[in-house]
Amino acid sequence: MDKKQMSERDVCTKFITPAVIEAGWDRDKQVREEVSFTAGKILVYGKIVKRGVRKRADYILYHKPNMPIALIEAKDNTCPIGQGMQQGVEYSEMLDIPFVFSSNGDGFVFYDKTTGEENELTLSEFPSPDELWRKYKSFKGIDEAIEEAVTTDYYYEENSKKPRYYQTIAINRIVEAIAKGKDRILLVMATGTGKTFVAFQIMHRLRKAGLKKRILYLVDRNVLLDQPKNNDFKPFSKVITKVKNRKADKAYEIYMALYQGLSGNEDSKNIYKQFSPDFFDLVIVDECHRGSARDESRWREILEYFKSATQIGMTATPKESNKVSNIDYFGQPIYSYSLKQGIEDGFLAPFRVIKVALDKDVHGFRPKKGEKDKFENEIPDYVYGTREFDRTLVIDERTEAVAKKITEFLKKTDRFSKTIVFCVDIEHAERMKRALVNENKDLYGKNKKYIMRITGDDNVGKAQLDNFIDPASRYPVIATTSKLMNTGVDAQTCKLIVLDSVINSMTEFKQIIGRGTRIREDYGKHYFTIMDFRNITNHFADSDFDGEPIQIYTSPKGKMEIKDIEQEGAEELQDGEQILVSPDISMDEGDGKVRKYYVKKGSTEVTVINQTVQHLDPSGKLITESLEDYTKKGMKKEFRSLNEFIQKWNIVDQKRAIIDELEKEGVLLDALREEYGKDYDPFDLILKVAYGQKPMTRTERAKKVKKDAHFKKYSEKAQKVITALLEKYSDEGIENLEDPEVLNIPPLTQFGRPLEIMKLFGGKLAYLKMIKEIEDRLYKS
């Protein structure tokens, strides 16, 4: 058979695979073909959710199961031998693989990252496993003393999960660094990407290699202990213990502990001192951006006490400000996996943002001269805005307006979507809960757990936290909170995050967004919505949001780097030339000062003056311009004119192909349907929005075709099938008309099985020709 006539798969089977095996690679243990390493980005089209294309390497070659070292991209023989190199290099950068090969079956082009050279090889010159492993070791600085430790396998049993590609990189880099003697390590991975699973695999491999024996796993919340102990850390059940009741049982190998459980204000309560300073070989700090990030914190004392141990800090959000620094203590991140990359790979849920502007938030609230609140306290003269609302000044009507918008959204989507409402403080969370109860009296009346306040001071609410985060538990549905749920809470099915609190800290903002990033397709959770009442999502536009963490602070032991930084929590508001400072309202009710002022009910009105919906563009950034302008810009990239678009639409047999192409380029058809009407199909939406033409509804187009005499040539039964197809088009759109699966759905099933229906038109090809005839007449000008 002529090689030029062979498919890419034939080239692999007959030429590439034999060359690799001939070079000494073990096909069963070292060679994997067609390796998909991403999940495929989640794409949302109205009610339709589907996966994008997975990234797939044609071959990955391994030294051991946990150590990929080479990648091969294959093309058919009509392509040049190096055709796959650019794609291969892109994949190798993602996978942390240094050796890349491209082949069309005639030979190989070999890119060696260790030298930077690219050379052509014959089929018989493909490198052996030993040759590439020697190069790999030299490149990575792996000598005989650490080789065994670095190549120790990860933990795997039948039906247990295997590390994803980015998890493998994180595990390998950390094990390798520790084997080389590095003692402070920072790992940055977006919320929902499996940091505890990575920690488990690191612990397993270091113990198996004999590098670390006693391990301390530190967190600051009980939920961060219980979840991993019962899940990812379960294989350690015989050697692991949770430190509790302020007792240090030294009979175990792995200890899980709360900072609070190890330390206290008095030295007698510093339980960690019951262990000798060199008791632990390894300390892992989960959510290290919290307490231990600060030099002088009590929790940092624990790390200083066990300073001889290797210490790994894990976080989605390294804390870098003018006062604290994770990087100063742990060093630059050994590996970072961002939210943007997680969404692009399909491992994290995409999101959209609904920004709601209330008139009082935009224009501010200024009390009348001498105006008193409902407790007869005179309200200080000041222009109160979003920074002050619910912190120093309460307007009940504002809280009610927020609760109304939340309820309105849930009623339009799903009233049982798990929802977290982030409030200013505990008292605000209580008032918000009350307002939501009043908006949802029907469901709250059926089950009082439908809406709950889950805050640190309320044991009843805290007791329901596990139920809220349990995907199988229906209640609670809506949780109002302040700080308790902004980090470490694995709310896998949370579909709505409401922001009604000023959040100055980028770290806190990223943690809050992380509450919605999990995907649970088995529970219908593919994406989530952020409803923003205080312009907090402007943080998405900050380069720091998804960029590499930048160290700002260096401890006094080192050198202080001075930068102009906006003071975190600054409460100043500029009004022309005058600086208005928020009234000095005490946060301590015991000093005789008023903590908050409560505007009398009915004395002011709060209205919604604007609402905008923002979506992610193909590059992962929020679109900030109008939907109309964005659509026009996207269409101009694809088509120079209206005529060119119409011509392409009419020529292409499958309209779905054009729709896919437009959505890939960022034309948001789902958003256009929501804003301009769900009765239009993509063709008419684009005519209207991008070209200012008068559209027709699907019903109008279908009605026109039903009258067309052209279809009288078919039998009476065939004409009834055409009528049913047009009704399907009218109800659901062109995509369903083109899909043969529509014949398996009522009312089409009344005409028989798909093949029987196609025979009415003369067979499958004739049926497809008829569909094209319908489309030609649907879009005939």
Side-chain angles (χ1 to χ4, degrees):
M1 185 178 179
D2 184 359
K3 192 187 288 188
K4 297 287 184 191
Q5 303 300 315
M6 291 183 181
S7 67
E8 182 182 298
R9 186 63 358 220
D10 285 335
V11 167
C12 290
T13 302
K14 297 180 184 299
F15 298 98
I16 298 175
T17 301
V20 171
I21 303 305
E22 187 67 27
W25 294 85
D26 187 316
R27 183 166 190 168
D28 296 326
K29 294 180 180 179
Q30 293 183 299
V31 181
R32 286 185 63 198
E33 298 184 47
E34 297 188 312
V35 186
S36 294
F37 56 91
T38 68
K41 186 177 182 179
I42 289 181
L43 307 170
V44 183
Y45 310 125
K47 293 182 179 178
I48 300 171
V49 178
K50 69 175 187 179
R51 289 278 186 178
V53 178
R54 295 182 174 194
K55 285 187 169 64
R56 187 192 70 188
D58 291 319
Y59 293 81
I60 295 181
L61 308 183
Y62 298 80
H63 174 66
K64 294 187 76 173
N66 60 302
M67 193 143 300
I69 62 172
L71 182 147
I72 306 173
E73 276 302 308
K75 299 296 176 185
D76 65 49
N77 199 250
T78 62
C79 297
I81 190 171
Q83 181 74 31
M85 183 54 71
Q86 286 191 167
Q87 182 175 303
V89 169
E90 178 190 336
Y91 288 175
S92 74
E93 291 294 322
M94 287 183 68
L95 297 170
D96 206 21
I97 291 175
F99 308 121
V100 185
F101 298 85
S102 173
S103 178
N104 64 356
D106 289 339
F108 296 94
V109 173
F110 173 31
Y111 171 66
D112 183 347
K113 188 176 180 179
T114 69
T115 63
E117 294 180 357
E118 196 172 287
N119 295 298
E120 194 165 327
L121 309 174
T122 65
L123 289 173
S124 62
E125 291 176 322
F126 193 84
S128 70
D130 287 342
E131 184 181 345
L132 286 190
W133 179 237
R134 281 195 302 272
K135 281 177 169 285
Y136 185 92
K137 286 194 296 181
S138 175
F139 179 58
K140 291 279 190 175
I142 299 171
D143 57 26
E144 289 184 11
I146 66 169
E147 181 174 352
E148 186 177 347
V150 166
T151 57
T152 304
D153 289 343
Y154 57 76
Y155 177 89
Y156 178 71
E157 286 187 352
E158 193 172 354
N159 299 323
S160 67
K161 57 186 177 183
K162 294 180 180 179
R164 295 169 176 167
Y165 84 87
Y166 63 88
Q167 293 170 337
T168 297
I169 295 171
I171 296 162
N172 284 345
R173 286 193 183 182
I174 290 175
V175 170
E176 181 184 317
I178 291 172
K180 290 177 180 177
K182 190 171 176 62
D183 60 2
R184 297 292 182 269
I185 297 168
L186 180 62
L187 173 63
V188 179
M189 287 172 57
T191 301
T193 55
K195 289 189 293 295
T196 53
F197 177 66
V198 168
F200 162 72
Q201 291 289 358
I202 291 167
M203 291 155 70
H204 166 77
R205 284 182 56 184
L206 291 174
R207 292 178 75 248
K208 189 175 180 181
L211 291 178
K212 304 296 175 186
K213 295 179 181 178
R214 291 202 185 102
I215 300 170
L216 174 62
Y217 186 82
L218 269 177
V219 302
D220 70 336
R221 296 189 179 185
N222 259 315
V223 69
L224 299 177
L225 288 183
D226 297 335
Q227 285 178 356
K229 188 172 186 292
N230 298 329
N231 296 295
D232 289 327
F233 292 3
K234 205 168 184 178
F236 291 147
S237 58
K238 293 180 180 178
V239 297
I240 196 168
T241 186
K242 179 178 172 182
V243 178
K244 52 188 176 181
N245 300 324
R246 296 199 169 270
K247 292 181 181 178
D249 185 344
K250 300 175 187 176
Y252 291 86
E253 296 175 32
I254 300 173
Y255 295 76
M256 303 184 75
L258 287 168
Y259 285 114
Q260 301 92 317
L262 292 182
S263 64
N265 291 323
E266 302 168 19
D267 203 50
S268 60
K269 292 183 178 179
N270 287 328
I271 307 305
Y272 65 89
K273 291 186 177 179
Q274 293 182 23
F275 298 98
S276 63
D278 60 355
F279 185 84
F280 294 108
D281 306 307
L282 175 67
V283 178
I284 297 179
V285 186
D286 194 14
E287 306 292 1
C288 68
H289 63 280
R290 292 178 66 82
S292 60
R294 193 179 294 272
D295 271 356
E296 68 275 14
S297 73
R298 190 169 67 243
W299 294 351
R300 174 68 74 84
E301 291 176 7
I302 299 174
L303 301 187
E304 295 289 356
Y305 183 78
F306 297 117
K307 62 185 178 184
S308 64
T310 299
Q311 296 177 8
I312 302 171
M314 302 192 308
T315 180
T317 53
K319 196 155 192 176
E320 299 301 325
S321 73
N322 57 340
K323 294 181 180 178
V324 298
S325 172
N326 284 126
I327 292 175
D328 178 59
Y329 186 80
F330 289 105
Q332 291 291 335
I334 198 165
Y335 182 64
S336 295
Y337 187 73
S338 68
L339 171 66
K340 179 181 176 181
Q341 190 62 53
I343 292 173
E344 185 63 33
D345 289 344
F347 297 123
L348 294 179
F351 57 88
R352 64 174 179 170
V353 173
I354 299 175
K355 297 182 79 169
V356 182
L358 304 175
D359 61 344
K360 293 295 181 289
D361 294 355
V362 174
H363 305 303
F365 170 84
R366 188 171 189 174
K368 300 181 185 73
K369 186 176 181 179
E371 182 175 345
K372 294 183 178 181
D373 76 353
K374 68 180 181 180
F375 299 112
E376 295 304 314
N377 298 303
E378 186 173 324
I379 305 173
D381 185 22
Y382 178 70
V383 180
Y384 297 85
T386 52
R387 287 181 181 271
E388 290 75 39
F389 290 148
D390 302 296
R391 187 181 70 84
T392 59
L393 185 91
V394 173
I395 303 175
D396 283 334
E397 285 84 356
R398 187 189 177 283
T399 306
E400 291 165 2
V402 171
K404 194 179 290 289
K405 289 303 295 183
I406 295 169
T407 305
E408 181 185 293
F409 175 81
L410 291 173
K411 284 181 176 178
K412 284 182 179 178
T413 53
D414 174 11
R415 294 185 75 186
F416 282 89
S417 291
K418 292 289 179 84
T419 300
I420 305 176
V421 185
F422 287 96
C423 302
V424 170
D425 57 21
I426 289 171
E427 189 266 348
H428 182 207
E430 173 56 32
R431 286 187 290 103
M432 184 63 71
K433 180 225 165 193
R434 196 181 319 139
L436 285 164
V437 166
N438 291 336
E439 291 294 329
N440 296 273
K441 291 190 281 285
D442 53 342
L443 294 181
Y444 186 75
K446 291 176 182 177
N447 192 314
K448 298 298 185 289
K449 293 177 183 174
Y450 178 73
I451 303 166
M452 296 203 75
R453 172 166 64 94
I454 301 179
T455 50
D457 72 321
D458 188 277
N459 290 330
V460 175
K462 279 198 296 186
Q464 290 299 318
L465 181 56
D466 285 345
N467 288 329
F468 181 83
I469 65 180
D470 181 1
S473 179
R474 194 173 201 188
Y475 298 99
V477 175
I478 303 174
T480 66
T481 189
S482 55
K483 300 290 185 185
L484 183 65
M485 299 175 71
N486 68 359
T487 185
V489 176
D490 193 12
Q492 298 177 23
T493 53
C494 178
K495 292 184 180 180
L496 176 62
I497 289 174
V498 180
L499 304 175
D500 195 28
S501 173
V502 174
I503 301 163
N504 295 308
S505 162
M506 179 65 79
T507 300
E508 185 179 359
F509 174 68
K510 291 168 78 170
Q511 285 289 334
I512 286 172
I513 298 308
R515 299 317 105 210
T517 54
R518 271 79 168 179
I519 295 171
R520 281 302 298 263
E521 294 178 273
D522 50 340
Y523 285 93
K525 163 71 184 298
H526 303 93
Y527 63 98
F528 68 106
T529 301
I530 303 164
M531 185 174 282
D532 180 11
F533 288 90
R534 306 210 187 202
N535 280 326
I536 307 306
T537 50
N538 288 346
H539 279 307
F540 282 125
D542 193 319
S543 59
D544 288 343
F545 175 74
D546 216 29
E548 290 294 317
I550 299 172
Q551 184 178 356
I552 295 171
Y553 168 73
T554 305
S555 69
K557 300 169 188 174
K559 180 183 176 184
M560 180 70 77
E561 183 180 353
I562 305 297
K563 289 192 176 182
D564 290 328
I565 301 167
E566 182 183 350
Q567 187 71 27
E568 235 179 312
E571 297 296 336
E572 295 185 344
L573 172 70
Q574 186 147 8
D575 183 10
E577 301 215 350
Q578 181 185 11
I579 301 294
L580 297 175
V581 180
S582 181
D584 182 19
I585 298 173
S586 173
M587 301 305 286
D588 179 6
E589 295 182 27
D591 62 3
K593 292 183 181 179
V594 177
R595 182 178 181 185
K596 288 185 183 180
Y597 292 92
Y598 295 79
V599 176
K600 288 179 180 177
K601 193 82 179 286
S603 65
T604 190
E605 188 178 339
V606 178
T607 58
V608 175
I609 59 175
N610 189 32
Q611 177 175 310
T612 59
V613 180
Q614 296 178 316
H615 302 260
L616 294 175
D617 70 11
S619 70
K621 292 183 178 179
L622 275 177
I623 298 165
T624 54
E625 60 193 310
S626 74
L627 188 58
E628 184 174 334
D629 289 343
Y630 183 77
T631 304
K632 286 178 181 177
K633 189 188 295 181
M635 290 302 296
K636 282 181 181 178
K637 284 182 183 177
E638 289 296 300
F639 306 101
R640 286 173 295 180
S641 66
L642 170 62
N643 286 338
E644 187 177 324
F645 167 64
I646 292 175
Q647 187 178 14
K648 178 77 175 286
W649 184 272
N650 288 330
I651 289 173
V652 174
D653 288 340
Q654 289 281 314
K655 311 305 180 198
R656 177 76 255 178
I658 296 184
I659 293 169
D660 286 343
E661 186 180 325
L662 290 173
E663 287 173 334
K664 190 176 180 182
E665 290 300 318
V667 177
L668 304 171
L669 294 172
D670 173 36
L672 291 173
R673 288 187 189 100
E674 286 190 12
E675 186 161 331
Y676 296 99
K678 297 183 179 180
D679 297 330
Y680 301 120
D681 73 7
F683 178 78
D684 284 285
L685 283 169
I686 289 166
L687 283 187
K688 177 179 174 65
V689 179
Y691 300 109
Q693 302 295 308
K694 185 179 179 181
M696 291 176 68
T697 66
R698 292 193 302 271
T699 301
E700 289 170 337
R701 290 192 179 278
K703 190 175 180 180
K704 180 184 69 170
V705 177
K706 285 177 186 177
K707 296 177 181 177
D708 197 318
H710 175 83
F711 297 102
K712 298 287 186 185
K713 65 182 181 180
Y714 294 111
S715 68
E716 185 177 344
K717 189 173 181 181
Q719 288 182 52
K720 289 180 179 178
V721 170
I722 292 171
T723 299
L725 287 168
L726 287 168
E727 287 171 358
K728 269 288 178 187
Y729 161 79
S730 179
D731 291 339
E732 300 174 9
I734 193 68
E735 299 96 316
N736 288 298
L737 183 64
E738 292 183 339
D739 189 350
E741 282 298 310
V742 74
L743 300 179
N744 287 314
I745 303 171
L748 277 305
T749 49
Q750 66 180 297
F751 301 109
R753 289 175 296 183
L755 287 176
E756 293 172 334
I757 295 172
M758 290 177 179
K759 282 182 181 178
L760 295 173
F761 300 93
K764 184 176 181 179
L765 291 178
Y767 169 81
L768 295 174
K769 181 183 176 185
M770 179 274 297
I771 294 294
K772 184 69 171 66
E773 290 172 348
I774 290 178
E775 291 184 344
D776 289 343
R777 281 155 177 76
L778 278 172
Y779 300 108
K780 190 176 180 182
S781 60

